[in-house]
Amino acid sequence: MLLSLVLHTYSMRYLLPSVVLLGTAPTYVLAWGVWRLLSAFLPARFYQALDDRLYCVYQSMVLFFFENYTGVQMQLCIQTLPQYFEKVKVSPTPTLRTPFPVDWIVADILAIRQNALGHVRYVLKEGLKWLPLYGFYFAQHGGIYVKRSAKFNEKEMRNKLQSYVNAGTPMYLVIFPEGTRYNPEQTKVLSASQAFAAQRGLAVLKHVLTPRIKATHVAFDCMKNYLDAIYDVTVVYEGKDNGVQRRESPTMTEFLCKECPKIHIHIDRIDKKDVPEEQEHMRRWLHERFEIKDKMLIEFYESPDPERRKRFPGKSVNSKLSIKKTLPSMLILSGLTAGMLMTDAGRKLYVNTWIYGTLLGCLWVTIKA
Protein backbone atom coordinates (compact mmCIF):
# COMPACT_ATOMS: atom_id res chain seq x y z
CA MET A 1 0.00 0.00 0.00
CA LEU A 2 2.82 2.40 0.87
CA LEU A 3 4.56 1.62 -2.45
CA SER A 4 1.30 2.23 -4.29
CA LEU A 5 0.93 5.61 -2.59
CA VAL A 6 4.51 6.56 -3.50
CA LEU A 7 3.97 5.60 -7.14
CA HIS A 8 0.68 7.51 -7.23
CA THR A 9 2.33 10.61 -5.79
CA TYR A 10 5.15 10.30 -8.34
CA SER A 11 2.71 10.08 -11.27
CA MET A 12 0.76 13.12 -10.04
CA ARG A 13 3.86 15.26 -10.46
CA TYR A 14 3.54 15.20 -14.23
CA LEU A 15 -0.22 14.67 -14.47
CA LEU A 16 -1.18 18.30 -13.79
CA PRO A 17 1.35 19.83 -16.23
CA SER A 18 0.43 17.26 -18.89
CA VAL A 19 -3.30 17.95 -18.55
CA VAL A 20 -2.81 21.71 -18.73
CA LEU A 21 -0.27 21.73 -21.58
CA LEU A 22 -2.22 19.31 -23.75
CA GLY A 23 -5.62 20.50 -22.60
CA THR A 24 -5.01 24.10 -23.65
CA ALA A 25 -3.72 23.15 -27.12
CA PRO A 26 -7.15 23.38 -28.85
CA THR A 27 -7.78 26.76 -27.22
CA TYR A 28 -4.45 28.03 -28.46
CA VAL A 29 -4.94 26.68 -31.98
CA LEU A 30 -8.42 28.23 -32.14
CA ALA A 31 -7.06 31.63 -31.09
CA TRP A 32 -4.30 31.35 -33.67
CA GLY A 33 -6.75 30.22 -36.37
CA VAL A 34 -9.05 33.19 -35.78
CA TRP A 35 -6.12 35.58 -36.05
CA ARG A 36 -4.87 33.79 -39.19
CA LEU A 37 -8.24 34.37 -40.88
CA LEU A 38 -8.55 37.97 -39.73
CA SER A 39 -5.03 38.80 -40.91
CA ALA A 40 -5.46 37.22 -44.36
CA PHE A 41 -5.77 40.63 -46.00
CA LEU A 42 -3.26 42.44 -43.83
CA PRO A 43 0.50 42.82 -44.44
CA ALA A 44 2.42 39.72 -43.34
CA ARG A 45 4.27 41.63 -40.62
CA PHE A 46 1.00 42.17 -38.70
CA TYR A 47 0.22 38.46 -38.71
CA GLN A 48 3.78 37.60 -37.71
CA ALA A 49 3.84 40.08 -34.84
CA LEU A 50 0.72 38.69 -33.15
CA ASP A 51 1.63 35.08 -33.96
CA ASP A 52 4.93 35.64 -32.15
CA ARG A 53 3.04 37.13 -29.24
CA LEU A 54 0.66 34.16 -29.07
CA TYR A 55 3.58 31.74 -29.24
CA CYS A 56 5.23 33.66 -26.41
CA VAL A 57 2.10 33.22 -24.27
CA TYR A 58 1.98 29.46 -24.79
CA GLN A 59 5.70 28.91 -24.29
CA SER A 60 5.63 31.07 -21.15
CA MET A 61 3.07 28.62 -19.78
CA VAL A 62 5.41 25.77 -20.74
CA LEU A 63 8.23 27.44 -18.82
CA PHE A 64 5.95 27.93 -15.80
CA PHE A 65 5.85 24.17 -15.43
CA PHE A 66 9.40 23.40 -16.50
CA GLU A 67 11.07 26.08 -14.38
CA ASN A 68 8.77 27.44 -11.68
CA TYR A 69 6.81 24.24 -10.99
CA THR A 70 9.83 21.91 -10.96
CA GLY A 71 12.06 24.37 -9.12
CA VAL A 72 15.01 23.34 -11.30
CA GLN A 73 18.18 25.42 -10.84
CA MET A 74 19.57 27.02 -13.99
CA GLN A 75 23.33 27.42 -13.86
CA LEU A 76 24.23 29.69 -16.77
CA CYS A 77 27.84 30.11 -17.84
CA ILE A 78 27.65 32.90 -20.40
CA GLN A 79 30.38 34.19 -22.66
CA THR A 80 29.54 37.72 -23.93
CA LEU A 81 25.81 37.07 -24.36
CA PRO A 82 23.85 40.35 -24.69
CA GLN A 83 20.65 40.90 -22.73
CA TYR A 84 18.70 42.06 -25.78
CA PHE A 85 17.19 40.24 -28.73
CA GLU A 86 19.49 39.32 -31.59
CA LYS A 87 18.68 37.47 -34.80
CA VAL A 88 20.67 34.34 -34.07
CA LYS A 89 21.15 30.68 -34.87
CA VAL A 90 21.25 28.63 -31.67
CA SER A 91 23.21 25.35 -31.87
CA PRO A 92 22.65 23.25 -28.73
CA THR A 93 24.58 20.03 -28.11
CA PRO A 94 21.54 17.81 -27.41
CA THR A 95 19.06 16.76 -30.09
CA LEU A 96 15.32 16.39 -30.25
CA ARG A 97 14.02 12.85 -29.97
CA THR A 98 11.01 10.92 -28.84
CA PRO A 99 9.52 10.22 -26.36
CA PHE A 100 9.68 14.01 -26.08
CA PRO A 101 12.87 15.11 -24.36
CA VAL A 102 13.36 18.52 -22.82
CA ASP A 103 16.24 19.63 -25.06
CA TRP A 104 14.03 22.05 -26.95
CA ILE A 105 13.17 23.78 -23.67
CA VAL A 106 16.77 25.07 -23.49
CA ALA A 107 16.08 27.46 -26.37
CA ASP A 108 13.00 28.77 -24.51
CA ILE A 109 15.07 29.18 -21.34
CA LEU A 110 17.57 31.40 -23.15
CA ALA A 111 15.06 33.26 -25.31
CA ILE A 112 12.78 34.38 -22.47
CA ARG A 113 15.80 35.91 -20.74
CA GLN A 114 16.35 38.07 -23.84
CA ASN A 115 12.67 38.90 -24.37
CA ALA A 116 12.75 36.85 -27.58
CA LEU A 117 10.56 33.86 -26.68
CA GLY A 118 8.07 34.47 -29.49
CA HIS A 119 10.82 34.50 -32.11
CA VAL A 120 12.07 30.94 -31.48
CA ARG A 121 11.87 28.72 -34.59
CA TYR A 122 13.22 25.19 -34.88
CA VAL A 123 14.80 22.99 -37.49
CA LEU A 124 13.06 19.71 -36.64
CA LYS A 125 13.28 16.12 -37.79
CA GLU A 126 10.47 15.31 -40.18
CA GLY A 127 8.66 12.77 -38.02
CA LEU A 128 7.55 15.49 -35.60
CA LYS A 129 5.29 17.08 -38.21
CA TRP A 130 2.71 14.35 -37.47
CA LEU A 131 2.15 15.51 -33.88
CA PRO A 132 -1.56 16.32 -33.45
CA LEU A 133 -2.15 20.09 -33.73
CA TYR A 134 1.45 20.93 -32.79
CA GLY A 135 3.05 19.50 -35.94
CA PHE A 136 0.98 21.70 -38.24
CA TYR A 137 1.31 24.79 -36.08
CA PHE A 138 5.11 24.60 -35.70
CA ALA A 139 5.39 24.78 -39.48
CA GLN A 140 3.06 27.81 -39.56
CA HIS A 141 5.14 29.53 -36.90
CA GLY A 142 8.30 29.12 -38.96
CA GLY A 143 9.59 25.69 -38.03
CA ILE A 144 11.38 23.73 -40.74
CA TYR A 145 11.08 19.95 -41.01
CA VAL A 146 14.06 18.18 -42.53
CA LYS A 147 14.87 14.62 -43.55
CA ARG A 148 18.15 12.95 -42.70
CA SER A 149 21.17 12.18 -44.88
CA ALA A 150 20.43 11.47 -48.56
CA LYS A 151 16.76 12.43 -48.18
CA PHE A 152 17.64 15.95 -47.02
CA ASN A 153 15.86 18.49 -49.25
CA GLU A 154 18.24 21.42 -49.44
CA LYS A 155 16.16 23.41 -51.93
CA GLU A 156 13.06 23.28 -49.74
CA MET A 157 14.95 24.44 -46.67
CA ARG A 158 16.61 27.27 -48.62
CA ASN A 159 13.27 28.45 -49.99
CA LYS A 160 11.68 28.55 -46.54
CA LEU A 161 14.59 30.36 -44.92
CA GLN A 162 14.79 32.86 -47.78
CA SER A 163 11.10 33.63 -47.44
CA TYR A 164 11.64 34.44 -43.75
CA VAL A 165 14.62 36.64 -44.57
CA ASN A 166 12.68 38.47 -47.29
CA ALA A 167 9.80 39.08 -44.87
CA GLY A 168 12.15 40.35 -42.16
CA THR A 169 10.92 37.66 -39.75
CA PRO A 170 12.53 37.95 -36.29
CA MET A 171 14.56 34.79 -35.94
CA TYR A 172 15.91 32.75 -33.03
CA LEU A 173 16.64 29.69 -35.16
CA VAL A 174 17.46 26.48 -33.27
CA ILE A 175 19.45 23.67 -34.92
CA PHE A 176 20.67 20.42 -33.34
CA PRO A 177 23.78 19.55 -35.40
CA GLU A 178 24.32 16.04 -33.99
CA GLY A 179 21.33 14.80 -35.98
CA THR A 180 20.43 12.10 -33.43
CA ARG A 181 20.57 11.78 -29.68
CA TYR A 182 23.69 10.98 -27.68
CA ASN A 183 23.19 7.84 -25.62
CA PRO A 184 26.26 5.95 -24.35
CA GLU A 185 24.18 2.79 -24.18
CA GLN A 186 23.68 2.87 -27.95
CA THR A 187 27.19 1.72 -28.71
CA LYS A 188 26.54 1.18 -32.43
CA VAL A 189 25.53 4.81 -32.94
CA LEU A 190 28.50 6.05 -30.93
CA SER A 191 30.96 3.76 -32.75
CA ALA A 192 29.60 4.75 -36.17
CA SER A 193 29.93 8.43 -35.27
CA GLN A 194 33.52 7.98 -34.10
CA ALA A 195 34.42 5.90 -37.16
CA PHE A 196 32.96 8.56 -39.45
CA ALA A 197 35.17 11.20 -37.81
CA ALA A 198 38.29 9.00 -37.95
CA GLN A 199 37.80 8.21 -41.65
CA ARG A 200 37.76 11.93 -42.45
CA GLY A 201 40.75 12.80 -40.35
CA LEU A 202 38.66 14.53 -37.68
CA ALA A 203 39.15 14.25 -33.93
CA VAL A 204 37.24 11.36 -32.36
CA LEU A 205 34.79 12.68 -29.76
CA LYS A 206 33.83 11.01 -26.49
CA HIS A 207 30.88 12.86 -24.92
CA VAL A 208 29.25 14.20 -28.10
CA LEU A 209 28.52 12.82 -31.56
CA THR A 210 30.16 13.97 -34.76
CA PRO A 211 28.08 16.95 -35.96
CA ARG A 212 26.37 16.97 -39.34
CA ILE A 213 26.93 19.92 -41.60
CA LYS A 214 24.12 20.06 -44.17
CA ALA A 215 21.35 21.88 -42.31
CA THR A 216 23.81 24.10 -40.44
CA HIS A 217 25.54 25.16 -43.65
CA VAL A 218 22.28 25.81 -45.50
CA ALA A 219 20.91 27.87 -42.60
CA PHE A 220 24.02 30.01 -42.30
CA ASP A 221 24.45 30.42 -46.06
CA CYS A 222 20.85 31.63 -46.45
CA MET A 223 20.93 33.93 -43.44
CA LYS A 224 24.53 35.14 -43.22
CA ASN A 225 23.51 38.69 -44.14
CA TYR A 226 20.55 38.60 -41.77
CA LEU A 227 21.87 36.95 -38.62
CA ASP A 228 23.76 38.82 -35.92
CA ALA A 229 25.51 35.82 -34.36
CA ILE A 230 25.51 32.11 -33.51
CA TYR A 231 25.03 30.89 -29.95
CA ASP A 232 26.93 27.67 -29.28
CA VAL A 233 25.11 26.00 -26.37
CA THR A 234 26.31 23.03 -24.31
CA VAL A 235 23.96 21.44 -21.78
CA VAL A 236 24.30 19.01 -18.89
CA TYR A 237 21.29 17.72 -16.96
CA GLU A 238 22.37 16.97 -13.42
CA GLY A 239 20.69 13.89 -12.04
CA LYS A 240 20.81 12.07 -15.40
CA ASP A 241 24.48 11.15 -15.09
CA ASN A 242 26.48 8.84 -12.87
CA GLY A 243 29.12 11.42 -12.11
CA VAL A 244 31.60 10.24 -14.75
CA GLN A 245 29.64 9.94 -17.99
CA ARG A 246 27.22 12.12 -19.92
CA ARG A 247 23.80 10.53 -20.28
CA GLU A 248 20.96 11.12 -22.70
CA SER A 249 18.72 14.05 -21.88
CA PRO A 250 15.68 13.45 -19.66
CA THR A 251 12.22 12.96 -21.06
CA MET A 252 9.51 15.48 -20.28
CA THR A 253 7.97 13.05 -17.80
CA GLU A 254 11.25 12.57 -15.96
CA PHE A 255 11.85 16.31 -15.88
CA LEU A 256 8.38 17.15 -14.57
CA CYS A 257 8.83 14.45 -11.91
CA LYS A 258 11.78 16.52 -10.70
CA GLU A 259 14.44 13.96 -11.54
CA CYS A 260 16.67 16.76 -12.82
CA PRO A 261 17.39 19.22 -9.98
CA LYS A 262 19.87 21.34 -11.94
CA ILE A 263 20.72 22.23 -15.55
CA HIS A 264 24.16 23.50 -16.46
CA ILE A 265 24.15 25.62 -19.63
CA HIS A 266 27.29 26.98 -21.27
CA ILE A 267 26.70 29.64 -23.94
CA ASP A 268 29.34 30.98 -26.26
CA ARG A 269 28.44 33.81 -28.63
CA ILE A 270 30.18 33.57 -32.02
CA ASP A 271 30.14 36.57 -34.32
CA LYS A 272 29.04 35.63 -37.83
CA LYS A 273 32.27 37.04 -39.32
CA ASP A 274 34.18 34.27 -37.53
CA VAL A 275 32.22 31.49 -39.28
CA PRO A 276 33.67 30.13 -42.56
CA GLU A 277 31.23 30.18 -45.49
CA GLU A 278 32.54 27.35 -47.68
CA GLN A 279 30.96 24.01 -46.69
CA GLU A 280 34.12 21.95 -46.15
CA HIS A 281 35.74 24.73 -44.16
CA MET A 282 32.57 25.04 -42.12
CA ARG A 283 32.59 21.28 -41.53
CA ARG A 284 36.06 21.58 -39.96
CA TRP A 285 35.04 24.66 -38.00
CA LEU A 286 31.87 22.96 -36.64
CA HIS A 287 33.83 19.88 -35.65
CA GLU A 288 36.34 22.09 -33.84
CA ARG A 289 33.45 23.67 -31.94
CA PHE A 290 32.35 20.17 -30.89
CA GLU A 291 35.92 19.36 -29.85
CA ILE A 292 35.66 22.33 -27.48
CA LYS A 293 32.36 20.97 -26.16
CA ASP A 294 33.88 17.53 -25.72
CA LYS A 295 36.84 18.90 -23.76
CA MET A 296 34.49 20.89 -21.52
CA LEU A 297 32.42 17.78 -20.84
CA ILE A 298 35.52 15.70 -20.11
CA GLU A 299 36.57 18.38 -17.62
CA PHE A 300 33.02 18.50 -16.23
CA TYR A 301 32.90 14.77 -15.52
CA GLU A 302 36.51 13.65 -15.17
CA SER A 303 38.60 16.53 -13.82
CA PRO A 304 40.94 15.33 -11.03
CA ASP A 305 40.33 18.68 -9.34
CA PRO A 306 37.03 18.51 -7.39
CA GLU A 307 36.70 22.30 -7.69
CA ARG A 308 36.57 22.04 -11.50
CA ARG A 309 34.32 19.02 -11.67
CA LYS A 310 30.54 19.39 -12.10
CA ARG A 311 30.88 22.89 -13.53
CA PHE A 312 31.71 24.61 -16.78
CA PRO A 313 34.78 26.87 -17.08
CA GLY A 314 34.17 30.55 -16.43
CA LYS A 315 31.78 32.39 -14.17
CA SER A 316 28.50 30.59 -13.56
CA VAL A 317 25.35 32.25 -12.22
CA ASN A 318 22.14 30.79 -10.84
CA SER A 319 19.45 32.35 -13.05
CA LYS A 320 15.96 32.20 -11.53
CA LEU A 321 12.99 32.95 -13.78
CA SER A 322 10.41 35.24 -12.20
CA ILE A 323 6.99 33.67 -11.86
CA LYS A 324 5.57 37.00 -13.04
CA LYS A 325 6.78 36.12 -16.53
CA THR A 326 5.04 32.75 -16.68
CA LEU A 327 2.06 32.50 -14.31
CA PRO A 328 -0.19 35.01 -16.18
CA SER A 329 0.07 32.95 -19.38
CA MET A 330 -0.84 29.76 -17.55
CA LEU A 331 -3.86 31.43 -15.91
CA ILE A 332 -5.07 33.01 -19.17
CA LEU A 333 -4.93 29.83 -21.27
CA SER A 334 -6.28 27.63 -18.48
CA GLY A 335 -9.11 30.09 -17.82
CA LEU A 336 -10.10 30.30 -21.48
CA THR A 337 -10.07 26.52 -21.78
CA ALA A 338 -12.12 26.05 -18.60
CA GLY A 339 -14.63 28.63 -19.84
CA MET A 340 -14.99 26.82 -23.16
CA LEU A 341 -15.58 23.48 -21.46
CA MET A 342 -18.38 24.87 -19.28
CA THR A 343 -20.90 25.03 -22.15
CA ASP A 344 -22.19 22.39 -24.54
CA ALA A 345 -21.25 24.47 -27.57
CA GLY A 346 -17.81 25.08 -26.12
CA ARG A 347 -17.20 21.40 -25.45
CA LYS A 348 -18.31 20.52 -28.97
CA LEU A 349 -15.98 23.15 -30.43
CA TYR A 350 -13.16 21.89 -28.23
CA VAL A 351 -13.55 18.25 -29.30
CA ASN A 352 -13.98 19.19 -32.97
CA THR A 353 -10.79 21.23 -32.83
CA TRP A 354 -8.86 18.21 -31.58
CA ILE A 355 -10.37 15.90 -34.20
CA TYR A 356 -10.63 18.06 -37.31
CA GLY A 357 -7.60 20.16 -36.44
CA THR A 358 -5.51 16.99 -36.28
CA LEU A 359 -6.97 15.58 -39.51
CA LEU A 360 -6.55 18.84 -41.44
CA GLY A 361 -3.03 19.23 -40.06
CA CYS A 362 -2.09 15.72 -41.22
CA LEU A 363 -3.65 16.41 -44.61
CA TRP A 364 -1.64 19.62 -44.92
CA VAL A 365 1.69 18.01 -44.06
CA THR A 366 0.90 15.15 -46.47
CA ILE A 367 0.28 17.58 -49.31
CA LYS A 368 3.43 19.51 -48.43
CA ALA A 369 5.57 16.34 -48.21
Side-chain angles (χ1 to χ4, degrees):
M1 182 176 179
L2 180 59
L3 178 60
S4 176
L5 179 62
V6 170
L7 292 174
H8 179 70
T9 304
Y10 178 87
S11 65
M12 287 297 291
R13 290 180 179 178
Y14 67 84
L15 182 60
L16 174 62
S18 299
V19 168
V20 175
L21 293 174
L22 291 175
T24 56
T27 308
Y28 178 80
V29 170
L30 279 172
W32 169 81
V34 169
W35 171 238
R36 192 73 183 95
L37 292 173
L38 292 176
S39 64
F41 302 103
L42 297 175
R45 66 179 182 275
F46 288 103
Y47 161 74
Q48 195 66 67
L50 188 55
D51 175 55
D52 282 6
R53 185 57 197 158
L54 286 172
Y55 186 79
C56 180
V57 170
Y58 188 85
Q59 294 301 325
S60 293
M61 179 182 66
V62 171
L63 286 175
F64 168 79
F65 288 110
F66 280 89
E67 283 208 56
N68 302 118
Y69 173 81
T70 62
V72 64
Q73 292 184 45
M74 296 294 172
Q75 290 295 129
L76 302 184
C77 184
I78 304 173
Q79 309 295 324
T80 64
L81 182 65
Q83 297 302 307
Y84 54 85
F85 169 63
E86 292 187 290
K87 296 184 289 292
V88 298
K89 182 164 74 68
V90 183
S91 298
T93 300
T95 56
L96 266 155
R97 65 180 178 91
T98 53
F100 309 116
V102 297
D103 295 336
W104 60 277
I105 294 291
V106 173
D108 284 358
I109 290 168
L110 300 181
I112 197 171
R113 287 163 169 81
Q114 289 185 285
N115 297 316
L117 187 55
H119 306 322
V120 175
R121 334 233 178 231
Y122 294 92
V123 175
L124 303 163
K125 66 180 182 181
E126 190 185 36
L128 294 173
K129 70 183 182 182
W130 299 106
L131 288 175
L133 299 184
Y134 294 99
F136 169 74
Y137 174 71
F138 283 150
Q140 302 305 304
H141 181 66
I144 300 173
Y145 294 109
V146 296
K147 298 178 181 179
R148 294 179 179 178
S149 304
K151 296 181 179 180
F152 176 70
N153 192 329
E154 179 178 331
K155 182 178 179 181
E156 182 180 357
M157 183 175 179
R158 283 186 179 276
N159 289 341
K160 288 183 179 179
L161 286 172
Q162 195 58 53
S163 68
Y164 301 148
V165 171
N166 294 341
T169 304
M171 190 68 69
Y172 209 93
L173 184 66
V174 184
I175 293 181
F176 302 90
E178 283 177 297
T180 190
R181 72 183 186 271
Y182 175 91
N183 184 346
E185 296 179 4
Q186 294 184 341
T187 55
K188 288 184 178 180
V189 174
L190 187 56
S191 297
S193 175
Q194 293 173 340
F196 179 87
Q199 289 169 5
R200 285 157 179 77
L202 302 171
V204 174
L205 307 173
K206 179 179 181 181
H207 288 286
V208 292
L209 299 178
T210 302
R212 304 185 182 199
I213 189 62
K214 287 183 180 179
T216 300
H217 178 259
V218 170
F220 185 78
D221 189 52
C222 290
M223 306 180 71
K224 59 190 175 187
N225 296 320
Y226 187 66
L227 292 175
D228 296 312
I230 291 177
Y231 293 169
D232 184 3
V233 181
T234 307
V235 184
V236 171
Y237 303 93
E238 195 168 301
K240 283 293 290 183
D241 57 76
N242 59 8
V244 295
Q245 174 68 50
R246 180 188 168 201
R247 296 295 185 186
E248 61 179 342
S249 54
T251 64
M252 293 174 67
T253 298
E254 291 170 337
F255 196 90
L256 291 170
C257 287
K258 304 183 181 182
E259 292 186 16
C260 177
K262 184 183 293 187
I263 300 180
H264 300 264
I265 305 176
H266 183 277
I267 310 131
D268 196 2
R269 182 187 184 277
I270 304 167
D271 196 282
K272 64 181 180 180
K273 65 180 175 58
D274 296 325
V275 182
E277 297 183 16
E278 198 274 326
Q279 183 167 329
E280 279 306 311
H281 292 165
M282 182 180 285
R283 186 193 302 275
R284 290 275 177 180
W285 171 84
L286 183 61
H287 197 85
E288 288 170 1
R289 294 301 313 178
F290 270 69
E291 285 184 63
I292 294 172
K293 291 174 180 286
D294 202 45
K295 290 176 181 177
M296 283 197 302
L297 290 169
I298 290 173
E299 186 81 359
F300 187 96
Y301 289 114
E302 304 174 22
S303 174
D305 184 355
E307 295 297 321
R308 300 172 67 181
R309 204 180 307 138
K310 292 282 188 175
R311 57 173 298 173
F312 284 125
K315 184 179 179 181
S316 181
V317 297
N318 183 15
S319 178
K320 187 175 178 61
L321 180 64
S322 172
I323 198 171
K324 294 179 181 179
K325 285 191 171 185
T326 59
L327 182 60
S329 295
M330 195 274 291
L331 294 176
I332 289 170
L333 285 172
S334 298
L336 289 173
T337 302
M340 185 186 305
L341 294 175
M342 290 178 68
T343 66
D344 290 337
R347 286 191 291 272
K348 185 176 181 180
L349 179 61
Y350 181 88
V351 172
N352 286 341
T353 300
W354 262 120
I355 296 173
Y356 295 111
T358 298
L359 293 175
L360 290 173
C362 290
L363 177 63
W364 181 88
V365 297
T366 301
I367 293 173
K368 290 289 184 177

